[in-house]
Amino acid sequence: MEEQQPPARPVDVGTGFGLWLTALPLLLIGQAVDTALAPNLPSHFLVYAVTGLFLVLVCAVVVTFLLLMRQGYRWARTLLTGGGLASIVYITTSLFTGHRGTAAAVVYAITGIVGSVLIAGGVYLLHRKDAHAYFTR
């Protein structure tokens, strides 16, 4: 009886994984700067601690889903796609509706736009034909 080998990971999956891993720290930096320089937040230690904890937890969840997606789990790709699209919508609307100082606005715009483009590219690559066939679990 012949052992069936798991399918080889397509290049699109590896590239999409890399795009997501590049976008994640960019978006975390943008959110941290936006919080630190927000004019309407009280500058209490508790606000920064809760925001930092939330960002660390979100980062851990996204990295976990990325690792599972890279192993071929379709549900992880689905959750990343939904979360990625929601992030793009949030960042886009936040760019035009948030009131920020000049430095915070520049950092948030650069990290948000570049991060959103990287996520969109990652989502696209993970849904191409070769990559789609890879997700079997």
Side-chain angles (χ1 to χ4, degrees):
M1 205 146 114
E2 216 175 282
E3 271 190 50
Q4 187 174 357
Q5 294 288 338
R9 184 180 309 133
V11 174
D12 287 345
V13 173
T15 306
F17 177 80
L19 290 175
W20 270 90
L21 277 183
T22 306
L24 187 59
L26 281 175
L27 296 176
L28 289 173
I29 290 168
Q31 192 64 42
V33 168
D34 189 39
T35 301
L37 300 179
N40 57 353
L41 281 180
S43 52
H44 294 295
F45 173 75
L46 186 60
V47 172
Y48 298 130
V50 169
T51 301
L53 179 64
F54 178 74
L55 291 177
V56 167
L57 290 174
V58 168
C59 182
V61 168
V62 171
V63 169
T64 301
F65 287 160
L66 282 170
L67 293 172
L68 290 170
M69 178 274 306
R70 193 172 67 165
Q71 296 301 317
Y73 288 93
R74 182 177 290 146
W75 62 268
R77 179 188 66 167
T78 302
L79 291 175
L80 285 170
T81 299
L85 295 177
S87 296
I88 291 170
V89 169
Y90 170 77
I91 291 165
T92 304
T93 58
S94 183
L95 279 172
F96 297 110
T97 59
H99 300 290
R100 298 172 180 85
T102 305
V106 170
V107 171
Y108 190 79
I110 290 171
T111 59
I113 292 169
V114 172
S116 294
V117 169
L118 291 172
I119 287 175
V123 167
Y124 171 74
L125 288 175
L126 294 175
H127 288 277
R128 290 186 61 184
K129 184 178 181 181
D130 292 341
H132 186 70
Y134 174 70
F135 296 105
T136 58
R137 299 184 205 180

